[in-house]
Amino acid sequence: MAESTSMPVPAPPFAEIIADPTSADLKNTKFVLMIGSTGNGKSTLGNFLLCPAREHCVFTYGNQTFAGAVANLPLTQEVKMATDLNRTICLMDTPGLNENPKKDLEHMVAIIRCLKAAENLTACILCVKFDSKIDMQYKETIEYYSKLFPGIFETNVILVMTCFGMDPDSIERRKDNGIDVAKIRANTVEAVKKYANIKASPKVFMIDCLPTKSGREGSEKVRSEILQCITKMTSVMLDNLRVFKTARLMATDKQNAAQKEGRISALRGEKQRISKAIEENENCATIANHSIEYCNSCITDMRNELSDLDSNEREFVERMEISNWKPWFGTMEVTFTFNSEFEITYWSRWSNCNCRFIRFEERLYSIHGAVKSYGGLGNRRMNATIDIYTDRRYKNKDRISALWRLLDDRRSELRSATSDKYRYTCNAEEYRNEERKINKEISELYNEVQKLQNCEMSLKEATQRIEEL
C-alpha cells in the first residue's frame, strides 16, 4: 500500500520574530549573535536552538524562523532576530561576510543598530561545519568580529561544529574513513584562538541540527547543553559600538587610499612650484617697492630743491666798479657797459662826491651809462659802483631745467615701479589663492585617506559610506 503524501497541518508558532528589541519586553532575555561563513549552518542552528521540532527546522514544512540555505544558495540576506516562546534567548541570525563591500557594510550597520537597541550581548556563537576547513572567508569573519567585540571573544564565545551526525551510521562512517574527531576539534579550536587572537579556548559543541530519528536524542542533548551554557554566561554591556570594516572593504579602501595619496603627492609637487612662484613674485614686488621708495625720496628732494631755486628772491650777480683820477681842473666823463648772462631784475648804484651818473639805460641783460666828474680842486679820485641782481630762478635756470628733466625721469620710473609692484603683488596673491585651494584639497584628501585607512567607523560614518558605495 502506498505511503500517504498528504500536506502537513500548519503547526503553531515555534518562535517569535523581534523587529525592534526596544519595543518588546526583553529585560531578562539573553542576546546571542550567530556568525560564520555562508553555508555553515547558522540559520539551521538558530532554528534548532529556538525549537528543535522537525516541523520547525525542516525546509519543506515552510515553518522555519530563519530561512536556511537551499542547494548551497544562502537565504539569509538580512539581519534577523527571534526569541523562543519563553523569551529565554534572543538569537541574531547574520548573513555571511564578503558578499561585496556595500552589502557587508549594510549588514554590519544593521547588526550594530540591533545590538545598540539591545544594549548588551551574552554570547557569540561561531558556526562551522564539522567536515569543512576554516577557509579565508571564515578566517576574516572571526578576525572581524573579534575586533568588534573583544570582551565577548575573551570569555563568551561558543564554537558550534554543525552537521555532526550522531546516529550510528554517521559514527560508523567516520570510523571507516579514519576521521579523527578529537583532532579536527582541536585544530578548529586552535584556528579560532589564532584568528580571534584570544588565549582561552572557547566552549565547543558538536551537533546535527537536522538529525535523523536515531540521532535526534543526542542532538537535543547537545542543544540543551548549549542553552545551559548561554544561560550561565554574564551579559556584556555594549558601549560606544563602532562599525569595523571587513577585509574586502579594507582592501577596496586601501586601493582608494593609495590613489588619493598619489593625488596628494602630485598636489604637494604642484604646491612646491606655486610656493617658488610666490617667493619669486614677492621678491620682485619687494625690489619694485624699493624702487618706489627711492623714486619718492628723489622726487621729494628735487621738489624741495626746485621750491628753493625756482623763486623770485634776489640773487647778487656782480659788482661793476668805476674808479679814475679826475683832472685838477675841468671835468671828465666815463662811459660804461655791463653785460650779464642772467636777466637783470634789480640794480643799485653808488658814487662819491666827486662824480655822478649822468646817463643810465637798463636793458634785459645789460646796463649802459656814463659817470661824470665835478670840477674843482678837491679830491681828484672819482669812484662809482653798480650792483647787479637777478631772480634766483634766472640764476639757477640750468639747474632748474635739469631738475625738471630728472623729475620727469623719476616720475616715469615711479609709475613703472608702481605698475610692477601691483602686477607682482597680484600674481603672488593669485598663486596664494591657488595654494590655499591646494592646501584645502590636500587637507580634505588627507582626512579621506585617514578614514579609508582607519579600520573602524561610527554608525553615522558607516551609513554615509553605504551611500557612497
Side-chain angles (χ1 to χ4, degrees), residues 10 27-28 36 45 51 82 156 183 206 215 235 237 267 283 319 324 358 384 386 403 425-426 441 454 456:
K27 292 182 179 179
N28 299 319
L45 173 63
C51 177
N156 293 21
K183 185 176 180 180
M206 293 182 289
S235 299
M237 299 304 295
L267 286 172
N283 289 338
R319 171 174 286 180
N324 209 340
I358 58 173
I386 302 171
L403 284 173
T425 302
C426 289
E441 186 175 353
N454 196 351
E456 59 181 79

Side-chain angles (χ1 to χ4, degrees), residues 246-263:
T246 61
R248 183 174 295 185
L249 183 57
M250 282 292 292
T252 301
D253 284 355
K254 185 177 180 180
Q255 292 178 352
N256 293 336
Q259 292 177 355
K260 292 183 184 297
E261 285 176 335
R263 174 61 179 162

Side-chain angles (χ1 to χ4, degrees), residues 311-330:
S311 70
N312 56 3
E313 292 184 16
R314 291 177 186 174
E315 283 276 332
F316 177 77
V317 176
E318 191 174 348
R319 171 174 286 180
M320 186 179 69
E321 295 184 354
I322 302 170
S323 180
N324 209 340
W325 292 100
K326 69 175 183 173
W328 284 101
F329 299 98

Side-chain angles (χ1 to χ4, degrees), residues 428-464:
E429 186 59 30
E430 288 179 5
Y431 281 121
R432 271 192 288 269
N433 288 334
E434 286 187 46
E435 188 179 45
R436 292 187 193 101
K437 291 179 182 177
I438 288 176
N439 285 336
K440 182 180 179 183
E441 186 175 353
I442 288 176
S443 177
E444 291 173 350
L445 286 171
Y446 180 78
N447 290 335
E448 291 175 11
V449 169
Q450 291 294 101
K451 289 181 180 179
L452 290 171
Q453 292 178 339
N454 196 351
C455 62
E456 59 181 79
M457 300 173 284
S458 67
L459 199 58
K460 182 179 179 181
E461 290 172 340
T463 303
Q464 292 174 345

Side-chain angles (χ1 to χ4, degrees), residues 287-310:
I287 293 171
N289 190 61
H290 290 160
S291 296
I292 291 171
E293 292 175 352
Y294 173 73
C295 289
N296 281 328
S297 177
C298 290
I299 289 171
T300 300
D301 292 342
M302 284 187 284
R303 281 176 175 171
N304 291 336
E305 189 175 356
L306 280 170
S307 176
D308 181 56
L309 297 178
D310 194 8

Side-chain angles (χ1 to χ4, degrees), residues 15-288:
E16 179 183 357
I17 301 295
I18 303 297
D20 181 6
T22 60
S23 63
D25 184 12
L26 302 175
K27 292 182 179 179
N28 299 319
T29 304
K30 300 285 188 178
F31 288 91
V32 179
L33 182 68
M34 297 188 299
I35 61 174
S37 299
T38 301
N40 273 268
K42 297 186 298 295
S43 301
T44 305
L45 173 63
N47 291 328
F48 194 73
L49 291 177
L50 291 174
C51 177
R54 182 173 175 80
E55 293 80 3
H56 176 231
C57 297
V58 176
F59 173 78
T60 54
Y61 287 93
N63 295 320
Q64 291 176 312
T65 301
F66 302 125
V70 178
N72 291 328
L73 296 176
L75 292 183
T76 305
Q77 298 296 326
E78 60 184 11
V79 180
K80 194 172 184 180
M81 300 177 72
T83 68
D84 60 336
L85 295 180
N86 295 324
R87 291 188 173 179
T88 305
I89 61 170
C90 180
L91 299 181
M92 186 184 299
D93 189 19
T94 63
L97 293 180
N98 291 338
E99 184 175 348
N100 64 61
K102 182 176 182 179
K103 282 291 185 183
D104 288 346
L105 196 55
E106 287 176 347
H107 296 156
M108 292 317 305
V109 168
I111 291 171
I112 295 299
R113 281 178 176 161
C114 290
L115 290 175
K116 282 177 73 73
E119 297 182 349
N120 68 85
L121 184 63
T122 302
C124 186
I125 294 180
L126 303 180
C127 297
V128 59
K129 280 186 177 180
F130 172 77
D131 58 353
S132 64
K133 295 181 179 180
I134 291 184
D135 56 11
M136 183 59 66
Q137 184 185 18
Y138 200 91
K139 169 182 173 291
E140 291 174 353
T141 300
I142 295 174
E143 289 177 342
Y144 180 86
Y145 282 99
S146 64
K147 293 177 183 177
L148 189 62
F149 309 114
I152 292 291
F153 266 71
E154 284 295 337
T155 56
N156 293 21
V157 168
I158 299 174
L159 174 61
V160 177
M161 305 179 73
T162 59
C163 300
F164 183 76
M166 295 185 177
D167 56 282
D169 290 341
S170 296
I171 295 172
E172 188 68 26
R173 194 180 304 114
R174 285 195 291 271
K175 288 181 180 180
D176 292 342
N177 293 325
I179 297 173
D180 189 339
V181 174
K183 185 176 180 180
I184 292 175
R185 172 176 172 152
N187 290 341
T188 304
V189 169
E190 287 304 313
V192 169
K193 288 172 64 178
K194 176 182 177 181
Y195 298 137
N197 194 26
I198 56 177
K199 297 179 179 179
S201 297
K203 300 170 181 63
V204 185
F205 299 93
M206 293 182 289
I207 192 171
D208 185 2
C209 299
L210 294 174
T212 60
K213 186 175 181 179
S214 58
R216 173 164 290 276
E217 182 180 354
S219 291
E220 289 190 0
K221 179 181 178 182
V222 175
R223 170 185 177 271
S224 298
E225 292 173 354
I226 293 173
L227 294 176
Q228 287 177 5
C229 181
I230 294 171
T231 303
K232 293 178 181 179
M233 287 181 173
T234 302
S235 299
V236 177
M237 299 304 295
L238 301 176
D239 299 320
N240 300 322
L241 279 177
R242 296 179 65 82
V243 180
F244 279 79
K245 297 177 183 177
T246 61
R248 183 174 295 185
L249 183 57
M250 282 292 292
T252 301
D253 284 355
K254 185 177 180 180
Q255 292 178 352
N256 293 336
Q259 292 177 355
K260 292 183 184 297
E261 285 176 335
R263 174 61 179 162
I264 289 174
S265 179
L267 286 172
R268 283 176 175 161
E270 180 67 10
K271 181 182 175 182
Q272 288 181 350
R273 182 189 69 79
I274 289 175
S275 297
K276 186 177 180 181
I278 290 173
E279 183 180 359
E280 290 174 352
N281 279 275
E282 286 180 340
N283 289 338
C284 290
T286 300
I287 293 171

